[in-house]
Every structure is written in structure tokens, then in C-alpha cells.
């Protein structure tokens, strides 16, 4: 059995562009064996619970070791599961950032490099990200 990760990704249309970039990066990684996409395609609109369920089922069956859910799915799950707190400190920081930023008219800024850098530095507790 390979030590490389089998990852499933899923996004509704809100996170589609970011998901496409993420998939490319993951597929180039030497640490990743497979990347399976259960999200929408360029023309699709799927209710986010169906995407989350498809990803969770793959992980539960052992077809994937990790699931990465983007777009409104990510926000809904974070808000739904917050009371159970199954998340790491870094994940909690990312969820706080999402709550601060996503429910606003300019929510798409979270996909801009400076916005991502801001939350990543908070998550990793580092001073800056050098590009």
C-alpha cells in the first residue's frame, strides 16, 4: 500500500475556481497518489449537501484518506460542526476568518493572495508568507 495520500475534493460553484487550482497543485505533489473531484463542473450546480455526502462516503469507505470541501460547503459544515469542535486550532482560525469575511458583499476577496496570506499566517502562527 502506498504512503501517498488519496484525496477527494468537492466544491459548489462558489469555490469552483479555487478548487480547480487546488486540484492542480495536489496532483503535482509527490505526496499525493490520487485526487478525485466530487464537486460541480463548469456548467453544474449541485446542492452542497450532496457534494459533502459524496466526499464523506469516499472517506468512510477508505477510497480517500482526506476530503477537502470548498465554497459554501466549507462554511456550512464549519458552522454546523462548531459546537462539536472536531477541528484543529488552525482550522478554527480558518473558520473564524470565514465567518468574518464570507458573509459580506465582497466575500470573493478570500480567494485573493493577500487574503489567503493573512489567514495562513494566522493559522501557522508565522510573521509572513514570502512568494
Amino acid at each position: 500500500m502506498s504512503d501517498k495520500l488519496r484525496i477527494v475534493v468537492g466544491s459548489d460553484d462558489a469555490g469552483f475556481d479555487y478548487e480547480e487550482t487546488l486540484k492542480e497543485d495536489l496532483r503535482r505533489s509527490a505526496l499525493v497518489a490520487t485526487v478525485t473531484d466530487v464537486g460541480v463542473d463548469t456548467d453544474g450546480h449541485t446542492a452542497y449537501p450532496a457534494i459533502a455526502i459524496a466526499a464523506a462516503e469516499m472517506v468512510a469507505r477508505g477510497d480517500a484518506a482526506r476530503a477537502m470541501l470548498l465554497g459554501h460547503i466549507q462554511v456550512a459544515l464549519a458552522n454546523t460542526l462548531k459546537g462539536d469542535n472536531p477541528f484543529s486550532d488552525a482550522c478554527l482560525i480558518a473558520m473564524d476568518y470565514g465567518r468574518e469575511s464570507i458573509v459580506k458583499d465582497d466575500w470573493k476577496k478570500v480567494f485573493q493572495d493577500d487574503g489567503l496570506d493573512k489567514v495562513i499566517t494566522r493559522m501557522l502562527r508565522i510573521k509572513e508568507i514570502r512568494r
Side-chain angles (χ1 to χ4, degrees):
M1 180 171 225
S2 172
D3 289 337
K4 293 184 178 186
L5 290 172
R6 292 164 286 112
I7 299 174
V8 58
V9 296
S11 175
D12 53 22
D13 51 319
F16 177 78
D17 292 335
Y18 181 63
E19 178 194 39
E20 292 300 300
T21 301
L22 178 64
K23 286 189 316 189
E24 289 175 26
D25 290 344
L26 290 170
R27 286 182 175 139
R28 282 194 299 263
S29 172
L31 301 174
V32 176
T34 61
V35 178
T36 304
D37 184 355
V38 296
V40 298
D41 57 23
T42 54
D43 300 322
H45 298 286
T46 303
Y48 62 78
I51 297 165
I53 290 167
E57 287 175 343
M58 285 191 69
V59 173
R61 283 193 312 265
D63 296 337
R66 298 279 187 269
M68 298 176 148
L69 301 171
L70 308 164
H72 293 124
I73 299 167
Q74 184 181 35
V75 176
L77 289 175
N79 287 320
T80 301
L81 299 175
K82 185 178 184 217
D84 294 338
N85 196 12
F87 302 107
S88 68
D89 289 344
C91 188
L92 292 171
I93 290 169
M95 291 182 332
D96 287 342
Y97 175 72
R99 285 186 202 94
E100 295 165 7
S101 305
I102 291 180
V103 189
K104 294 184 178 177
D105 291 338
D106 62 345
W107 67 269
K108 288 189 178 184
K109 73 178 180 192
V110 300
F111 297 113
Q112 297 171 351
D113 286 344
D114 59 337
L116 291 171
D117 289 353
K118 178 182 172 184
V119 74
I120 290 169
T121 57
R122 283 172 55 190
M123 289 168 60
L124 299 178
R125 295 183 177 103
I126 58 176
K127 292 182 183 181
E128 68 179 321
I129 292 180
R130 288 181 231 142
R131 293 182 181 267

